[in-house]
Every structure is written in structure tokens, then in C-alpha cells.
């Protein structure tokens, strides 16, 4: 097939394809924090569009034109994300591909670990920009080169469906309007071009005589159709060559009205079209374990896990530990002022949990430990992180599960927890209050990493930490903080708070919590961790499940309502120590080592 040789029509069609691609790419905005990355999307899509227009006019052979667009696409992505490894800043080579592969892997890991909106890391931006570029290239080739704009709607629909499926409440209507407008421009451009190819522009009057050009306009005959000379236009068409005409768009807007009406009315008429998860829904309180339960959010967005379908069973286990501790899913050690999130360390294939795990960070031989074994059976919990007692020493589990040396988070490589049964050997670490009070200086590498706080942290948090913790060693300050939250500060545990819970761990939310003194486990855990960091005590937040309910034959049942968060503080010679600031009505007694002996 030979590309269209009419320059103005080609530019118009390519511009419409660019507008459609940008309109649908805008639907990705809610998935990534900030919006500056969208300028990179525009640069990539514009380079593909411009190179396509030029190549189609100069080469007049579709495969060659597409090859030029692909090359320009590769050069643009290289210049944006791997300029330092490229030849002349844009020519890709082996080093470029390796750098882009590493960036893509890091971006993929972020999207697996964190819910939207994810931070705008270079890896995430590479995925977004490259994905938008691939879609833009497909749209340009299908709609402009192959002249099939309706088919070009398929890749556009795929992009729009992504945020619709991922976001808890889908996309707002403005994003749909922008995406639909872009597609309408694409369809309208092609329709107008086809109408103009017949020889004259049609107006919107039904049954009336054809419109005639103004008096004195030169005319020429083409069969039975009268056309204006090149460059002239009919009344009512303000931009010659740009095929956005009333006739094709009139039919299109009627179609849009009908589709919008169906989109609004249909969900109310058809049973089951709601916001339920893809897959079977679990019934609250039925004890079933064969239903999909949405992932417990490692970013401290647990309010829905505590209130929605709270009786759904997520896992059960049997252990020889007479007093089982919470099962940890993940530790969040990065705090940006808005939320806690897990850092992504280096995961090596050799670090498989089946081969055993090392001594946990900071744990010295003088601390009392006992070895135990726990058998865990997971039902519908679909997680990338493996729920385990901390610290684990070895896990007998199918699939590739890798441990992170810094956090001891166990991450699945291409597998999830759904339907897993596995056995874990682990330690129960019981330091004495005297060991914690006499702990030496924290290693500089640990202190510099786990005491980081954002500059915009509200000053009221730091002032409250200094006032409550008072003087003394870090252990004394930590126990005063815990006691203040649990009993002395007048705090009330509640899961029914205004808002949706997405920002419950942020700095502003912590400051509000310290003022109103009403919140749930995320508020207590985040507040104590932030206050500990402000005092120079390394701290992080763990997310997992309370021990659950004991049943027959010593088997414990853990439900979604048992989702929990707690702070962990670091002490030299002991390592990471669990504290429990959430009141006893929710968590029971505090760990023995966090209660100083008189």
C-alpha cells in the first residue's frame, strides 16, 4: 500500500492521530504522581507523528515509512532515558539496551510493590513513555497509513482500560471525555477526508439542494460533480484541507450521545455491574477461602482491609510457638511525607528462601532466641510479598521467592501467595529491657537511612515527640512514646474516620491524629515511627496480620479484619524490635520487652 500523497490531508490525519493518542494517554495521569512526565509523552508522540508525515511523503512506501518511525522512536527514548550511555547522546548501543532494561525492571518492581499513584521514578517514567509511544505508533500506522481509524480505537481502548481496572474507583468522567474527544477527532478527520475525495463538501441540510460556491468562483467539471479549484473552500469550511466537517461529526455526536446514555443507564439495569473485584467475591463471615481477596496494601492503606469484607478468611496456620506473634507481610522503610513504602533492594536469584536466610540485621548472639516451625495455608490472599513470622530462617515454599538482605521482605518472582501452602522455620527473639536500655550506638549506615524525614514535616510532630519522650536513652524514649499512645495520652482507636484512608500515614495526617487523638493502627504506627525518627531513633513500619483466632487442633484462623500495622525500632546488638502503640483493645498486651521493669 502506498501512503497518501496529499500533504495537507496527510498532516491533518496525522494531527488527528496525535490528538487521539494524547487524549487517551492522559488517562494515565492518575497512575503516576506529579504530571511533569506527560511532557516526555508529548515529545515521543510528536516525534513519531512528524517522522511519519515526512516519511510517507518522501518514501511513498509504507514499510519504509514505518521503519523510519520506529528508528526515530528508539532515538527519542534513548535521548530521554539513556543519553549518557548513547553515542552522541541518542544512538542506542549495547550499553543503552542494558541501561533501559535495568530501568524497566526497576519500574516494574515499583508498580508491583505500590498501588497507584506510584512515584515518578525513572523506571516508571520509562514504562509510561514507552508504552504511550508504542500505542501512538500503532494508532498512526493503522489510522493514517492504513486508513483504518476505527480499528485504531483498539490500542486506544487498551490504554484507557488500564487505569480503569487498576484504580479503586476507576477514572473520573473528565478523562473519559478527553479520550472520547480524541477518538472522535480521529474518526471525523478520516470521514471528512473520504467525503472530500468525492469532489465537494456536504453540508448538514437534509433533502435540500447542493450548496453552490459564491458567485465568481472559478469552477471545473469532474463528471457530474462540481468541485472548487485547489486551495478554495466552500462557505462554512474555515480551514481548507483540514477535514473537520460538520457532516461526519454530526453523525458522530449522535453516536456519542447514545453511547453515553447507555453507559449511564446500563449499570443500573444489569445486575452485577458494580465495583467488585475481577473474579468471585467472598462473602463476609462465610469462612470461605476460595475467593479472591484484594491485596493488603503495603503502603499503609489498611482502612478498607479492616472495614470491607472484614470476616473474609485470608489464611490459617499451625505453629509450635505457644504465643504466636503477628505475621509480617512487608516492612515500609521509606517515608516521603505523604506515605510509607517499601524500598526496593537488590534481589538476586541466589537469595531464594528455600536455601535458607542469614542472621537478621543487627541481631547479636547475646539475645535470647528460640527456634520454631509454622505451617501456613493461604486461601484467596493474592500478594507479591510472603506472609511470615519475623525473623524467618528458611521457607519451604513452591516457586521463586527471594529475600531482601536489608529488610528481610520476601518477594515473589513471577508468583503470588494465592493458594500457597508452605512451612517456615523462624526465630522468636526476646530481648530483655536491660539489653535494649544498654544498647550501644547505632551503626552510621543504619542511622543515616532509617532516620530520614522530609523537610516539610509539620513542626508540631517534632515538638510532641520531644515533649513526650523526654530525656534519657533511646529505649526509655521509645517506651514513653508507646505508653503515651496506649494509655497515657487519651487516644481512642477508631476505623470510622472521614476520608478514604489513602493519606492516613502522611505527615499532615499524623499531625491531625496527634491533635484529635482518634485513629486506627496505621495512625498509631506511623505516628510513633515518625516521632522516633525525629528523636534520632531508626524506625520503620511493618504491615501484616495479628495472630488471629485459635481453633480446633491448634490451628489459627486469620481474617481480613486482622490486617495490622506496627512500628519497628532498631537497637544495636538486637536489631529490629517490634513495638505496639495501638491500644490494648485492638492488640492485647504489649510485647514484654517494650515494658520497662520497675
Amino acid at each position: 500500500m502506498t501512503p497518501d500523497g496529499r500533504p495537507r490531508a496527510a498532516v491533518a490525519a496525522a494531527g488527528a492521530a496525535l490528538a487521539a493518542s494524547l487524549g487517551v494517554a492522559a488517562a494515565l495521569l492518575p497512575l503516576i504522581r506529579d504530571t511533569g512526565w506527560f511532557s516526555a509523552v508529548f515529545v515521543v508522540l510528536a516525534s513519531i507523528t512528524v517522522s511519519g508525515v515526512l516519511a510517507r511523503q518522501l518514501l511513498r512506501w509504507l514499510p519504509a515509512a514505518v521503519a523510519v518511525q520506529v528508528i526515530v522512536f528508539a532515538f527519542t527514548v534513548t535521548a530521554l532515558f539513556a543519553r549518557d550511555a548513547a553515542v552522541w547522546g541518542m544512538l542506542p548501543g549495547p550499553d543503552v539496551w542494558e541501561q533501559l532494561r535495568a530501568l524497566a525492571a526497576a519500574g516494574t518492581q515499583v508498580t508491583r510493590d505500590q498501588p497507584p499513584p506510584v512515584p515518578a521514578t525513572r523506571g516508571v517514567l520509562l514504562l509510561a513513555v514507552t508504552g504511550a509511544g508504542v500505542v501512538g505508533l500503532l494508532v498512526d500506522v493503522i489510522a493514517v497509513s492504513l486508513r483504518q481509524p476505527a480499528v485504531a480505537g483498539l490500542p486506544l481502548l487498551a490504554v484507557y482500560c488500564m487505569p480503569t481496572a487498576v484504580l479503586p474507583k476507576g477514572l473520573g468522567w473528565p478523562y473519559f471525555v478527553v479520550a472520547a474527544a480524541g477518538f472522535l477527532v480521529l474518526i471525523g478527520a478520516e470521514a471528512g477526508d473520504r467525503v472530500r475525495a468525492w469532489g465537494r463538501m456536504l453540508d448538514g441540510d437534509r433533502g435540500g439542494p447542493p450548496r453552490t460556491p459564491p458567485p465568481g468562483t472559478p469552477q471545473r467539471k469532474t463528471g457530474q460533480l462540481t468541485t472548487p479549484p485547489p486551495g478554495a473552500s466552500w462557505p462554512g469550511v474555515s480551514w481548507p484541507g483540514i477535514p473537520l466537517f460538520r457532516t461526519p461529526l454530526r453523525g458522530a455526536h449522535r453516536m456519542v450521545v447514545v453511547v453515553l446514555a447507555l453507559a449511564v443507564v446500563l449499570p443500573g439495569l444489569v445486575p452485577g455491574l458494580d465495583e467488585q473485584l475481577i473474579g468471585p467475591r467472598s462473602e463476609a463471615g462465610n469462612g470461605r477461602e476460595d475467593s479472591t481477596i484484594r491485596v493488603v496494601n503495603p503502603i499503609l492503606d489498611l482502612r478498607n482491609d479492616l472495614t470491607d469484607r472484614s470476616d473474609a478468611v485470608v489464611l490459617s496456620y499451625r505453629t509450635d510457638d505457644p504465643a504466636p506473634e503477628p505475621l509480617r507481610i512487608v516492612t515500609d522503610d521509606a517515608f516521603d511525607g505523604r506515605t510509607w513504602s517499601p524500598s526496593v533492594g537488590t534481589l538476586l536469584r541466589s537469595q531464594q528462601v528455600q536455601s535458607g536466610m542469614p542472621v537478621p540485621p543487627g541481631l547479636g548472639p547475646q539475645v535470647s532466641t528460640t527456634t520454631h516451625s509454622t505451617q501456613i495455608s493461604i486461601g484467596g490472599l493474592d500478594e507479591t510479598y510472603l506472609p511470615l513470622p519475623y525473623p524467618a530462617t528458611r521457607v519451604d515454599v513452591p516457586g521463586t521467592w527471594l529475600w531482601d538482605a536489608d529488610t528481610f521482605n520476601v518477594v515473589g518472582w513471577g508468583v503470588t501467595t494465592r493458594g500457597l501452602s508452605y512451612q517456615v522455620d523462624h526465630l522468636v527473639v526476646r530481648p530483655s529491657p536491660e539489653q535494649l536500655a544498654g544498647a550501644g550506638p547505632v551503626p552510621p549506615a543504619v542511622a543515616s537511612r532509617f532516620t530520614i524525614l522530609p523537610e516539610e514535616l509539620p513542626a508540631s510532630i517534632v515538638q510532641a515527640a520531644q515533649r513526650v519522650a523526654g530525656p534519657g536513652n533511646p529505649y526509655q524514649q521509645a517506651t514513653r512514646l508507646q505508653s503515651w499512645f496506649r494509655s497515657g495520652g487519651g487516644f481512642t482507636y477508631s476505623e470510622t474516620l472521614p476520608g478514604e484512608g489513602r493519606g492516613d500515614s502522611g505527615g499532615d495526617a499524623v499531625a491531625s491524629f496527634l491533635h484529635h487523638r482518634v485513629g486506627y493502627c496505621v495512625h498509631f504506627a506511623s505516628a510513633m515511627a515518625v516521632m522516633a525518627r525525629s528523636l534520632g531513633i531508626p524506625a520503620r513500619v511493618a504491615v501484616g496480620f495479628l495472630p488471629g483466632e485459635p481453633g480446633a487442633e491448634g490451628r489459627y484462623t486469620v481474617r481480613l479484619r486482622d490486617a495490622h500495622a506496627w512500628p519497628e525500632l532498631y537497637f544495636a546488638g538486637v536489631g529490629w524490635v517490634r513495638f505496639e502503640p495501638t491500644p490494648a483493645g485492638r492488640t492485647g498486651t504489649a510485647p514484654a520487652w517494650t515494658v520497662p521493669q520497675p
Side-chain angles (χ1 to χ4, degrees):
M1 177 178 292
T2 302
D4 192 352
R6 291 169 296 176
R8 287 182 297 177
V11 172
L18 174 62
S21 300
L22 285 172
V24 176
L28 300 177
L29 289 172
L31 299 181
I32 305 174
R33 296 176 192 169
D34 305 324
T35 58
W37 62 273
F38 197 73
S39 60
V41 172
F42 175 79
V43 170
V44 170
L45 292 178
S47 66
I48 292 172
T49 302
V50 173
S51 62
V53 171
L54 297 177
R56 280 187 288 268
Q57 296 302 314
L58 297 176
L59 300 178
R60 301 297 182 90
W61 187 48
L62 179 57
V66 174
V68 169
Q69 289 181 285
V70 172
I71 293 173
V72 171
F73 180 25
F75 284 1
T76 306
V77 171
T78 300
L80 289 174
F81 295 98
R83 182 182 309 169
D84 54 340
V87 180
W88 298 331
M90 60 182 295
L91 298 181
D95 294 339
V96 168
W97 300 121
E98 181 61 26
Q99 184 170 335
L100 292 179
R101 187 201 63 79
L103 277 176
T108 302
Q109 188 65 41
V110 171
T111 60
R112 289 177 177 175
D113 297 340
Q114 304 188 26
V118 297
T121 64
R122 286 180 57 81
V124 170
L125 297 188
L126 174 63
L127 295 179
V129 171
T130 305
V134 170
V135 172
L137 178 61
L138 290 175
V139 171
D140 188 88
V141 172
I142 296 172
V144 183
S145 299
L146 300 179
R147 301 176 65 86
Q148 298 293 331
V151 179
L154 294 177
L156 296 176
L157 178 62
V159 176
Y160 181 80
C161 287
M162 183 188 306
T164 303
V166 172
L167 294 173
K169 292 190 175 181
L171 281 173
W173 66 266
Y175 294 99
F176 174 75
V177 170
V178 172
F183 185 59
L184 273 179
V185 169
L186 187 63
I187 296 293
E190 173 63 14
D193 194 41
R194 290 181 184 274
V195 169
R196 191 177 65 254
W198 283 91
R200 62 181 173 85
M201 305 305 157
L202 301 178
D203 65 10
D205 300 329
R206 292 186 175 183
R211 298 184 64 177
T212 59
T217 301
Q219 301 181 16
R220 58 185 176 91
K221 294 291 184 178
T222 304
Q224 298 300 316
L225 297 176
T226 301
T227 62
S233 61
W234 295 102
V237 182
S238 59
W239 194 351
I242 303 300
L244 300 179
F245 303 107
R246 290 178 295 178
T247 298
L249 289 183
R250 173 168 293 186
H253 85 259
R254 293 193 182 112
M255 179 177 63
V256 170
V257 171
V258 173
V259 171
L260 287 175
L262 290 175
V264 173
V265 175
L266 190 61
L269 301 178
V270 180
L273 291 184
D274 55 12
E275 293 184 357
Q276 71 180 33
L277 297 169
I278 297 176
R281 179 189 286 268
S282 66
E283 299 293 336
N286 63 3
R288 292 175 57 189
E289 299 185 17
D290 59 348
S291 298
T292 298
I293 297 171
R294 59 187 166 78
V295 174
V296 173
N297 196 335
I299 318 300
L300 292 187
D301 181 16
L302 297 181
R303 193 189 304 182
N304 289 333
D305 297 313
L306 298 171
T307 58
D308 181 26
R309 299 180 292 135
S310 61
D311 286 334
V313 175
V314 292
L315 61 88
S316 62
Y317 66 92
R318 183 182 289 110
T319 181
D320 58 9
D321 183 0
E325 297 185 0
L327 295 175
R328 195 185 72 167
I329 297 177
V330 63
T331 55
D332 296 328
D333 56 356
F335 182 65
D336 62 3
R338 291 177 293 183
T339 187
W340 290 85
S341 60
S343 60
V344 181
T346 301
L347 298 175
L348 304 177
R349 284 278 188 172
S350 59
Q351 296 177 183
Q352 297 194 33
V353 294
Q354 295 90 337
S355 302
M357 302 168 67
V359 176
L363 180 61
Q366 74 280 5
V367 180
S368 173
T369 61
T370 55
T371 303
H372 296 276
S373 179
T374 299
Q375 296 81 34
I376 301 175
S377 297
I378 297 183
L381 181 66
D382 199 359
E383 269 287 353
T384 304
Y385 293 95
L386 193 65
L388 295 170
Y390 180 82
T393 57
R394 183 181 179 277
V395 186
D396 185 9
V397 59
T400 303
W401 294 89
L402 308 176
W403 53 269
D404 179 17
D406 293 333
T407 63
F408 261 40
N409 293 334
V410 175
V411 185
W413 187 274
V415 292
T416 68
T417 59
R418 181 174 171 81
L420 274 184
S421 293
Y422 52 97
Q423 177 174 318
V424 52
D425 299 327
H426 57 98
L427 302 177
V428 173
V429 182
R430 301 189 183 281
S432 66
E434 292 77 16
Q435 289 173 326
L436 296 173
V442 175
V446 175
S448 61
R449 175 178 175 181
F450 296 103
T451 58
I452 296 176
L453 290 173
E455 295 181 357
E456 63 273 14
L457 186 73
S460 59
I461 300 177
V462 179
Q463 296 168 359
Q466 295 172 346
R467 182 180 68 254
V468 174
N473 58 53
Y475 174 70
Q476 292 171 329
Q477 292 177 316
T479 55
R480 292 185 191 123
L481 288 177
Q482 175 178 275
S483 178
W484 183 62
F485 283 119
R486 288 179 65 88
S487 58
F491 287 87
T492 302
Y493 182 88
S494 175
E495 298 163 6
T496 57
L497 300 171
E500 298 179 355
R502 286 190 173 274
D504 286 347
S505 63
D508 293 338
V510 169
S512 177
F513 166 67
L514 295 180
H515 176 72
H516 296 287
R517 305 197 180 186
V518 178
Y520 67 112
C521 59
V522 167
H523 292 104
F524 287 94
S526 181
M528 182 168 176
V530 171
M531 294 171 77
R533 285 194 173 192
S534 72
L535 298 170
I537 306 173
R540 63 189 187 186
V541 175
V543 179
F545 293 104
L546 293 170
E549 303 172 355
E553 301 179 354
R555 192 165 195 85
Y556 287 77
T557 299
V558 177
R559 303 179 184 274
L560 196 59
R561 65 165 179 250
D562 295 317
H564 187 52
W566 61 91
E568 294 180 344
L569 277 56
Y570 187 94
F571 292 87
V574 181
W576 291 103
V577 178
R578 177 173 66 93
F579 280 74
E580 191 51 83
T582 304
R586 167 70 176 167
T587 60
T589 59
W593 53 82
T594 65
V595 181
Q597 300 299 316

